[in-house]
Amino acid sequence: MPHVIIKHFPKDLDDETRARLAARVSEAVQEAFGVRQGAVSIGLEPVEREDWDAEVYQPEITGRKDRLVQFPDY
């Protein structure tokens, strides 16, 4: 605990970019929740652009507004 999943349009990220992303997200989560680095897990989940509305936007963004800490501007 905690576990973060980042859903995104498909994009190949090289190992350095993935490591930098994980480090930054992990650092923020560690600070916010007061946990050690080893307690944080992070996953990347690509979602095709044409599936975004049905798989992400409707169920997880508009359908869970009460859980969002930042709402997108699109």
Side-chain angles (χ1 to χ4, degrees), residues 1-2 5 7 17 36 41 53-55 57 65:
M1 172 338 251
I5 297 175
K7 296 187 179 189
T17 301
R36 61 186 176 77
S41 56
D53 188 66
E55 291 184 21
Y57 188 76
K65 286 182 183 180

Side-chain angles (χ1 to χ4, degrees), residues 4 13 17 31 64 66 71:
V4 178
L13 302 176
T17 301
E31 181 181 328
R64 297 175 132 187
D66 59 319
F71 198 82

Side-chain angles (χ1 to χ4, degrees), residues 3-71:
H3 177 64
V4 178
I5 297 175
I6 300 172
K7 296 187 179 189
H8 59 90
F9 292 157
K11 180 175 182 170
D12 290 328
L13 302 176
D14 60 40
D15 290 343
E16 182 181 332
T17 301
R18 291 167 63 100
R20 194 170 50 249
L21 173 63
R24 289 179 177 174
V25 170
S26 183
E27 183 178 311
V29 170
Q30 289 171 66
E31 181 181 328
F33 290 96
V35 298
R36 61 186 176 77
Q37 180 180 4
V40 179
S41 56
I42 302 168
L44 296 176
E45 187 175 328
V47 177
E48 294 296 332
R49 183 179 297 268
E50 60 270 13
D51 298 328
W52 187 261
D53 188 66
E55 291 184 21
V56 180
Y57 188 76
Q58 294 300 325
E60 297 191 29
I61 296 174
T62 61
R64 297 175 132 187
K65 286 182 183 180
D66 59 319
R67 294 183 181 189
L68 293 182
V69 296
Q70 180 173 317
F71 198 82

